Each structure stands twice: as structure tokens, then as C-alpha cells.
Amino acid sequence: MRRLILLLALTVCLASTRSAGAIDGTILVSLGASGATLAGGSGSTSSAPAVTADATGVAFEALSRAVPSDVNATTDVFFREIGEVDAEGIVVREARTTLLSIAADGRGPGNNRSFAPAASDDGRRVAFASLASDLVEGDENGTTDVFLRNREAEQTLRLSAPAGGDANGPSHSPAISADGQYAAFCSEASNLVEGDDNGVADAFIVELETGAMTRVAPADALPEVAGGCVRTALSNDGGSLAYTYRVAGDGQASAAVFLYERASGASTRVAGAGSGTNALALSGGGEIVLFDSEAADLVAGDTNRVPDLFAWEADGGRLTRLSVSANGAEGNKPSGLLGAAISADGRYVAYSSAASNLVPGDGNGAADVFRLDRETGELLIVSMAETGVAGNGPSYSPQITDDGQNVAYVSGSSNIVFGDRNNHPDIYLRGAPFSERAGPDDLPLETPNPDDFVGPPVSYGDDDGGLDPLLIGPFAAAALALVLIAGWFLLGRAPKA
């Protein structure tokens, strides 16, 4: 029995780590501290991934007991370090999950919901929003604030607070620069800086080393502002901020997109009403803004009557619709409503789309995650199952690494990796190459039932120390385990010479 346990442990280690410098296939990210798949009560989910530049870690939110001390029965923010082995099979980084939305006394999670993480390139600093009042001392405003967790120093700071006091309104939608020097967020508070008297939520930028805070408001849009700031996105060095504002358009409140340059203090309107409500991303140099829009007049030939994903270039103001197939066909269902991301150099874009005509063989009837090469026009599907077909549930909220070769995303599919039976959305990390097709030419309207595929047993529950679920991931690892076990016992039972 001891031999069996040791062998299984070795198999788990091999299956749950990556080779140095590469993501091989798909990795299940939303795991507990012991490596068990996350499970909980009704509504238990994992979402909002924020991947590091080199795909060595992912911050995410989860409504599940991912670590033993997580007993608050609400959403918390976690960080998953991806295990890594070198060419000789030596573990150079252990896989582990840690709690970021931790109470100031260090004994457990905050006393209310934490969500919407954003990570610096190295993963050392993670910004997030929270309703908890005990993450720092003196938080008495009873509303949502934005916090910064320094993973290296194991310290939490509240960003959305005036000097020596509480914000008088909620703050949300945090972003952080790749270098970890600046953070941004939206806030309805009027006392974060002097002179904030427009009565709506504004965007704010905070210099993290000094605490200096700048309010960003689109002066040319103030007469038509209907609800203020919705989302934020920062460039690598924090010099540029993309943000969306609720404005009055077409008789109802919708969003418009702006780009702010910190050096000049000026905002440029990128797109008008009906844009940037759900997706907003900014390239590393701040020169390309991604956003979704339901407007039909942004580019010529937009006749599909559904939201699309667009890219705006600061140099010249060129606007391009991205959510089209390789041959230029319009998507037949919404794109961008469930998130989009862009690589540091702006070449690669990851986005979610419900369209079934972007790549061949897409018959799953659900949103998928795609990666577009803006330079070559190549469009590939990311959210593929181990069986070579698209996931059998919706996939969304993609985040892409700096080089565009790895994509983290959320999926409600149960067939992305073998044995995923927790019946809740999980977070996955997939490395290139991606697929040109979502399935074979004769793919039926519904993808195969994942229950048809038999995999190793899965450990569920409140992180009870079960086997690492990545044992269930690559089928080859499971097959190898069976072969090794059989060989071990045959050798062990053979008569001695």
C-alpha cells in the first residue's frame, strides 16, 4: 500500500506541473491549497482570472473553501502558483493556492465578499475590490473599497481612501500596471480628492509608492454623463488609462470609451455611446484599446445586429472590427460581451464569443474563447476539450500573457479536462498551439457527453486533502499511472531468485 501511495503521489506531481517555460496543453487552475478541485454549495464558482506575464501564476475569485481557513461562505480572492519542473524532472516551483483577501489579524478571510482581482506582471501585487471591513484597520464606511495585496510582504493596503479617513462612496473595477507601480479604479466617492463635485463615479489613478491620487474625468462628456465610470485598464507603466463612462445615448444610459494620458492629463474619446460596457483592455504601450460595442456604424458593413469586439489605435485613430472569421464573415452572435484581453505588444487578442461561424466545426451552442493574431489574421479556438472538440459549456473572461502564447479563462464546461465533475465554472490555463477547428466536419450539434469518458477518481469537498485534480487532467498521466501500478505489483509479486 505504501508503494501505491508513493506512486500515486509521484503521478500527481508529474501531472500537475508544467515544464520550464511552457504550458503543455490545458491546466486546471482553480484548485484548493491541497490541490483538490473546488466545490461548495449552490452557486459555487470560480471566475475573474488575472494571469502573470509568464503564466507562472493566476489570481482569481472563488465562492468555495479553497484553503482550510476560508470559512466565510462568500467569494474570496486567491492566487494559484503553477508548479514547474526542470528538464531533469526536478521540481523548481511548488504548486500552491493562497488566500489574498485575508483579514488584518491574519487568521482567516475577510468578513464579506472580495472579488475582481488584477495582478502585476510578476504577480507580487494584486489589486481587488471588497465589501469586507476587516482587511485593514479603521475601515468603517460600510461599502466596497479597492485594496492592494503585496504577496511578497504579506501586507494589504486600502487604495480607495482619502488621507486619514474613509471614502464616502463605493469603489470598484480595479486595474494595476504591469510594473506594479500604479493602480486604477472607479469610485463614487466625492472625498478622495479635492474638487470632485460632478456627482458621479470617476476614474482614479494611484501611484502606489507615494499614494498620490489623480481623478480622471472626460471633460468633453460631462454634460452627457449619466452614471460615471464603469471600467478601467492600465498600460504597462501606468502612463495610459482606458476607461468607460456611462453617458446618455439613444435615449438610454450606455457607455462610451476614453483614453487618458497621464503625461498630458488629457482624455481622448475612443468610441461613443453603446461601447465598452463589458469588455475593455489596453495594450502594454497604451496605443491600442479593445472594447465591445453594439453600435452598427463604427465600421462599414456591420450588419449582424449584435455586439462586436473592436480595436482602436491611438496613432491615427484607426478602428477595426476583430470579431470576424478568417475570411471576413461577421460573427452570427455577440462577441466581446464576456470579456477580451490583449498581449503587451498588441499583436494577439483573446476574446469570448457566442458566434458559431468564426472557426469550422463549432457546434457546441455556447460561447467559446478565441485568440486572434492581428498581424496575420489567424483565428484559433482556445477553449478546447481533451477530446479535440470545443468545451460543452460557455467559456469566457479570457486573460492573455504578455507574449500572447498562454490564455487563462473561465469555463462552465465539464469536458475541458477529464474527470471534471464539480458542476461549477472553473479556471483553466492553456498554452499554444491552439486549434484551427472547434471539432471535426461531422461534429453533431451537441458535443459528446463528458460522462462518456472515464477518468481517474476526483477528490471534492472542502479542500479535504484529496488527490491533485490535475491527476485527472492529461489522460496520458492516468494511463501512465495504471501501467506503472501494474508493473510495480507484477514486479513486487514475482518470485525472488
Side-chain angles (χ1 to χ4, degrees):
M1 180 58 69
R2 184 170 61 182
R3 289 180 178 180
L4 176 60
I5 293 173
L6 290 174
L7 186 58
L8 287 174
L10 175 61
T11 306
V12 169
C13 179
L14 291 174
S16 62
T17 56
R18 54 179 276 189
S19 300
I23 295 293
D24 184 14
T26 301
I27 293 176
L28 179 58
V29 172
S30 47
L31 308 173
S34 70
T37 49
L38 300 183
S42 175
S44 178
T45 61
S46 299
S47 58
V51 65
T52 60
D54 57 1
T56 57
V58 180
F60 64 96
E61 66 179 63
L63 176 58
S64 185
R65 190 178 178 186
V67 298
S69 62
D70 185 3
V71 294
N72 62 356
T74 190
T75 303
D76 287 295
V77 174
F78 302 91
F79 191 89
R80 178 69 178 179
E81 295 179 59
I82 309 300
E84 185 174 320
V85 296
D86 62 18
E88 298 179 352
I90 305 299
V91 177
V92 296
R93 184 177 56 252
E94 296 284 350
R96 65 171 183 163
T97 299
T98 53
L99 174 68
L100 300 186
S101 52
I102 189 169
D105 61 12
R107 296 179 181 179
N111 57 14
N112 211 324
R113 179 182 177 226
S114 297
F115 53 99
S120 61
D121 261 6
D122 59 10
R124 293 182 180 180
R125 290 180 167 181
V126 178
F128 62 93
S130 182
L131 279 162
S133 63
D134 59 349
L135 301 184
V136 297
E137 300 291 339
D139 184 351
E140 300 177 351
N141 61 356
T143 191
T144 306
D145 284 302
V146 170
F147 298 85
L148 178 73
R149 179 67 176 178
N150 187 320
R151 294 179 53 243
E152 189 174 55
E154 297 185 346
Q155 294 179 341
T156 301
L157 300 175
R158 183 166 53 151
L159 301 180
S160 57
D166 284 322
N168 60 10
S171 302
H172 57 88
S173 302
I176 192 168
S177 60
D179 62 10
Q181 299 303 305
Y182 292 87
F185 56 88
C186 298
S187 182
E188 296 179 28
S190 62
N191 64 338
L192 297 182
V193 297
E194 294 184 1
D196 185 356
D197 55 5
N198 62 357
V200 298
D202 291 308
F204 293 84
I205 299 177
V206 181
E207 186 176 357
L208 298 179
E209 293 301 321
T210 66
M213 189 179 300
T214 302
R215 181 172 72 102
V216 179
D220 64 326
L222 286 179
E224 53 181 322
V225 163
C229 181
V230 180
R231 295 180 182 275
T232 64
L234 280 168
S235 62
N236 280 2
D237 64 357
S240 302
L241 170 73
Y243 62 102
T244 55
Y245 252 65
R246 292 283 184 187
V247 297
D250 299 327
Q252 59 183 353
S254 59
V257 183
F258 299 85
L259 181 64
Y260 170 82
E261 297 296 339
R262 193 159 45 84
S264 65
S267 287
T268 300
R269 189 170 185 143
V270 172
S275 304
T277 305
N278 300 282
L280 182 68
L282 186 61
S283 62
E287 68 277 6
I288 302 171
V289 182
L290 293 187
F291 61 93
D292 69 293
S293 182
E294 59 189 22
D297 59 353
L298 297 183
V299 296
D302 188 348
T303 61
N304 60 357
R305 297 184 180 181
V306 296
D308 285 300
L309 183 69
F310 296 86
W312 179 86
E313 299 176 35
D315 185 10
R318 186 174 73 142
L319 189 62
T320 306
R321 182 166 55 159
L322 302 181
S323 51
V324 296
S325 69
N327 61 7
E330 297 183 296
N332 56 13
K333 288 185 180 179
S335 299
L337 290 182
L338 299 176
I342 190 168
S343 62
D345 62 1
R347 175 173 176 173
Y348 297 102
V349 171
Y351 66 95
S352 178
S353 176
S356 63
N357 64 333
L358 298 182
V359 297
D362 189 353
N364 64 350
D368 297 300
V369 170
F370 301 88
R371 192 200 69 170
L372 171 68
D373 185 337
R374 295 179 60 245
E375 189 173 293
T376 67
E378 180 184 52
L379 183 65
L380 304 174
I381 183 168
V382 175
S383 50
M384 293 291 287
E386 297 281 0
T387 53
V389 296
N392 59 7
S395 298
Y396 49 96
S397 298
Q399 290 293 312
I400 197 166
T401 51
D402 272 6
D403 62 3
Q405 300 306 302
N406 304 282
V407 177
Y409 65 96
V410 184
S411 184
S413 303
S414 60
N415 65 338
I416 297 296
V417 295
F418 286 106
D420 181 3
R421 303 176 189 276
N422 65 354
N423 296 318
H424 298 299
D426 289 303
I427 295 172
Y428 301 90
L429 180 61
R430 183 179 176 95
F434 306 114
S435 178
E436 296 179 352
R437 312 182 63 84
D441 290 332
D442 58 352
L443 181 72
L445 290 179
E446 298 294 332
T447 54
N449 188 332
D451 290 338
D452 294 340
F453 305 106
V454 179
V458 186
S459 172
Y460 296 120
D462 294 332
D463 198 23
D464 57 0
L467 296 177
D468 192 316
L470 287 179
L471 173 62
I472 69 174
F475 183 72
L480 175 63
L482 294 176
V483 172
L484 290 176
I485 291 171
W488 189 284
F489 278 98
L490 285 175
L491 290 174
R493 293 177 179 179
K496 295 182 180 179

